[in-house]
Amino acid sequence: ESSKGMVVSTHPVASAVGLEILKKGGNAIDAAVAVNFALAVCHPAAGNIGGGGFLVYRDAKGQNFALDYREKAPLKGHRDMYLDEKGNIIPGKSFVGIFSAGVPGTVAGMVEMHRKFGKLAWSELVAPSIELAKNGVVLTEKEARGLNRNKADFIKENPGKSYLIKMDTVTWKMGEKLIQTDLAETLTRIAAKKLKGFYAGKTADLLVAEMERQGGLISKKDLRKYRAVWRQPITQAYKNYQIIGMPPPSSGGIALAQLMQMVEKYPLASWGAASDSTIQVMVEAERRVYADRAKWLGDPDFVKVPVSELMDPSYVGQRMKTMSFDHATPSKEVAAGDFPAYESPETTHYSIVDEEGNAVSITTTLNNSYGSKVFVGGAGFLLNDEMDDFSAKAGVPNLYGLIGTKANEIQPQKRMLSSMTPTIITENNQLKMVVGTPGGSTIITSVFQVVLNVLEMKMNMQQAVEFPRFHHQWLPEQTRFEPKRFSEDQFSRLKSKGYEFSPTTAIGLVEGILILPSGKRQGGADSRGDDTVSAY
Ligand code: GLY
């Protein structure tokens, strides 16, 4: 707990960098920019300059904003780019290698949020990360393990380069320093020239040269055209609370708004977080919401997303009418809703609150762990594999098992649909919580569970983050769960009602800040990762 500023991120060094900026008089946005660049150095699996993300921001006066810096399909991208001549998906092409990269948005996002809200000088926010890249970051056990696990892909996708790679027989160890000289130079160009340090000049030359070497699609024109976009946040009332979330091209805000509405009428608090009834209601709501996601959600600049229809209380209420406490609703009986008017792990999150009460909720990603695994030669940063978040073929699951249709098919310059759910919650118009997580398709349901753990189950922020999670996404039929989530008795009872289960390793890495009635900030950093609260 602390009384002034707080930063919660997935790496102790990044959290410390953010805290230093707050202590220097920077605001939450300044700290967010500094944390982003620090994560790009010390958490290369997901922290990035070669990916994209979303900001949900509430300033201390109570105004809400949402910034979209999601990657885009290259101009040369097209609907069938991941299909063979028979129309079948070419395995892996959309999620490993240069062809899987979308046009990066992160640097444009950082520049834009700083232009609108930043207080400290831009170069001051990038400087700590230049030092980290130049002098090295000490590897945690988890970071070393992640690098070693991905070594074979790094070698295969980076012929002639040695970024993050050790010789075949040599592995990274906890406590060793990771030095990234080329990345330090790229960050120096970004510090000096902002957008032009990445989307033009030497960095752009190196990126396009890498595309040409490996047959990738991103061009200078793609880089020149990229812009971050301010969008209208999704807001949804839940009891005395207001949930503020990310609109399309993320599905997170709408999905969380639907989920919260669907469960509102049930007495979850008196049933308890671990009860059969609470689990049944949450799984059935999730099943229905992911069916809508598959059919309706995509980039609003390309498809008409029926936002108000999907969140309409009578529609949402009617969706749960088919739910029964006697048995699971088979997913094949749950279709997406119909609106006749329409034709129709690895990501990372950080939460920041500053002394004034400005609140930042940012989820950012390369998609898969270490993205495409391709480093831009000479520039030292990883490219995303975000193209896999498009629906490469209607009805065929992507890396996360998510199904998509026309709304999320590939088109040049379109943004791929996301599940990222950076969220801010107010109570009676006062800041209450800042929360989010990585986890692909499980992002939405992890945020949903942590929010309910606090608002309904009255857990503190750390308990809410730690509580074992489960996840349902309409298809496949199974509910995924963390090992400690269900007792054997509970399994038997729920299985007898038709629920199917599959165990999984950790679901999500949630970073939350709760504002206590005293005004104190209470942090929750997920022990599933290296996640750390830094505060003063
Ligand atoms: N790449 C994960 C997501 O955006 O949902």
Side-chain angles (χ1 to χ4, degrees):
E1 282 175 21
S2 78
S3 50
K4 292 183 175 169
M6 182 174 279
V7 180
V8 191
S9 87
T10 201
H11 200 287
V13 172
S15 293
V17 164
L19 181 64
E20 274 315 299
I21 295 293
L22 292 181
K23 283 184 172 170
K24 266 185 175 175
N27 61 23
I29 291 286
D30 291 322
V33 171
V35 169
N36 181 88
F37 289 117
L39 285 169
V41 179
C42 58
H43 183 55
N48 68 82
I49 56 175
F54 299 119
L55 158 77
V56 173
Y57 178 58
R58 181 180 189 272
D59 69 16
K61 292 189 220 114
Q63 298 184 92
N64 302 324
F65 304 87
L67 183 64
D68 164 5
Y69 49 99
R70 180 74 162 164
E71 301 93 323
K72 296 175 90 166
L75 283 158
K76 287 188 215 132
H78 56 91
R79 193 191 63 183
D80 297 336
M81 61 190 275
Y82 299 113
L83 306 185
D84 63 17
E85 58 289 351
K86 291 192 182 128
N88 297 320
I89 297 264
I90 303 167
K93 201 171 179 189
S94 64
F95 59 81
V96 66
I98 198 126
F99 217 64
S100 63
V103 183
T106 293
V107 175
M110 293 304 122
V111 170
E112 179 55 23
M113 68 180 79
H114 178 260
R115 182 197 66 76
K116 197 165 163 80
F117 295 112
K119 217 163 109 187
L120 298 187
W122 169 258
S123 56
E124 224 177 314
L125 308 179
V126 193
S129 303
I130 297 173
E131 288 310 306
L132 286 172
K134 211 186 285 177
N135 301 327
V137 193
V138 177
L139 288 174
T140 65
E141 198 242 320
K142 289 193 174 80
E143 294 292 343
R145 199 178 333 126
L147 291 174
N148 293 329
R149 208 173 27 223
N150 285 277
K151 182 153 65 173
D153 275 341
F154 289 147
I155 292 170
K156 180 164 163 278
E157 301 305 330
N158 295 282
K161 289 177 246 150
S162 59
Y163 298 110
L164 309 190
I165 304 166
K166 287 200 158 191
M167 302 307 292
D168 262 354
T169 50
V170 184
T171 55
W172 286 105
K173 291 191 186 60
M174 182 174 95
E176 280 183 307
K177 268 195 172 177
L178 182 66
I179 294 177
Q180 301 171 78
T181 315
D182 284 350
L183 179 58
E185 284 179 19
T186 300
L187 290 169
T188 304
R189 288 191 290 277
I190 293 169
K193 297 187 180 151
K194 299 188 178 174
L195 277 185
K196 289 195 174 139
F198 185 85
Y199 294 94
K202 183 164 179 191
T203 313
D205 289 346
L206 290 167
L207 196 154
V208 171
E210 188 66 52
M211 292 289 146
E212 284 163 3
R213 240 187 329 268
Q214 296 210 49
L217 297 185
I218 299 173
S219 64
K220 289 256 176 86
K221 190 166 179 194
D222 281 312
L223 296 175
R224 253 196 330 272
K225 278 174 78 80
Y226 190 88
R227 294 285 177 278
V229 184
W230 291 101
R231 301 200 186 269
Q232 191 62 35
I234 297 288
T235 51
Q236 174 64 48
Y238 177 82
K239 301 185 178 173
N240 283 339
Y241 307 103
Q242 192 80 2
I243 319 278
I244 304 151
M246 192 67 212
S250 187
S251 57
I254 292 179
L256 185 62
Q258 287 187 308
L259 288 166
M260 297 302 290
Q261 279 193 79
M262 282 181 182
V263 303
E264 187 169 1
K265 67 175 184 199
Y266 298 99
L268 301 183
S270 60
W271 286 345
S275 73
D276 290 8
S277 300
T278 298
I279 289 161
Q280 279 192 270
V281 164
M282 290 171 70
V283 167
E284 294 303 339
E286 290 170 8
R287 194 193 306 276
R288 287 156 176 79
V289 164
Y290 277 76
D292 276 344
R293 181 193 189 281
K295 177 164 180 184
W296 292 111
L297 297 193
D299 181 349
D301 295 343
F302 284 74
V303 291
K304 193 145 200 263
V305 180
V307 178
S308 51
E309 285 80 355
L310 286 166
M311 290 170 51
D312 181 80
S314 64
Y315 169 70
V316 175
Q318 160 258 315
R319 295 285 280 161
M320 285 299 268
K321 287 228 170 85
T322 51
M323 185 208 155
S324 160
F325 284 98
D326 296 337
H327 54 79
T329 315
S331 284
K332 63 178 175 337
E333 290 174 15
V334 177
D338 218 358
F339 308 109
Y342 290 87
E343 301 294 316
S344 296
E346 188 90 30
T347 295
T348 190
H349 178 86
Y350 53 101
S351 298
I352 301 177
V353 177
D354 66 18
E355 191 172 353
E356 282 177 41
N358 299 300
V360 160
S361 187
I362 285 185
T363 315
T364 180
T365 188
L366 291 165
N367 192 27
N368 206 357
S369 209
Y370 304 94
S372 63
K373 326 287 198 256
V374 175
F375 288 91
V376 173
F381 66 90
L382 279 159
L383 286 166
N384 67 81
D385 64 331
E386 217 73 64
M387 292 295 284
D388 189 67
D389 274 351
F390 278 118
S391 170
K393 183 174 179 181
V396 177
N398 75 351
L399 190 63
Y400 300 114
L402 289 167
I403 307 286
T405 51
K406 197 165 176 54
N408 190 32
E409 71 184 12
I410 303 170
Q411 284 177 258
Q413 294 286 288
K414 189 176 175 183
R415 285 162 152 95
M416 54 297 281
L417 182 62
S418 172
S419 299
M420 293 192 281
T421 313
T423 300
I424 295 177
I425 296 177
T426 60
E427 181 178 14
N428 300 325
N429 225 16
Q430 298 296 311
L431 182 63
K432 171 85 178 171
M433 200 192 318
V434 185
V435 68
T437 183
S441 59
T442 67
I443 290 175
I444 298 165
T445 52
S446 293
V447 172
F448 175 47
Q449 288 171 66
V450 172
V451 167
L452 288 179
N453 285 346
V454 173
L455 301 190
E456 292 295 341
M457 308 306 166
K458 306 300 175 202
M459 294 183 198
N460 70 32
M461 197 71 246
Q462 190 64 34
Q463 290 166 331
V465 160
E466 299 290 48
F467 200 71
R469 293 191 271 270
F470 61 92
H471 166 78
H472 197 283
Q473 61 179 49
W474 178 47
L475 295 172
E477 186 67 54
Q478 289 82 21
T479 300
R480 271 141 71 180
F481 68 97
E482 291 182 325
K484 291 190 211 123
R485 177 67 218 211
F486 300 101
S487 69
E488 282 309 314
D489 283 354
Q490 193 168 35
F491 262 135
S492 311
R493 286 195 304 273
L494 291 168
K495 279 183 185 166
S496 73
K497 292 183 174 183
Y499 291 95
E500 296 175 25
F501 294 96
S502 68
T504 187
T505 49
I507 298 178
L509 287 175
V510 179
E511 321 290 3
I513 300 176
L514 185 63
I515 310 298
L516 303 178
S518 63
K520 277 198 163 174
R521 289 87 168 98
Q522 184 181 73
D526 207 317
S527 69
R528 294 164 180 85
D530 291 327
D531 309 31
T532 310
V533 179
S534 289
Y536 75 125

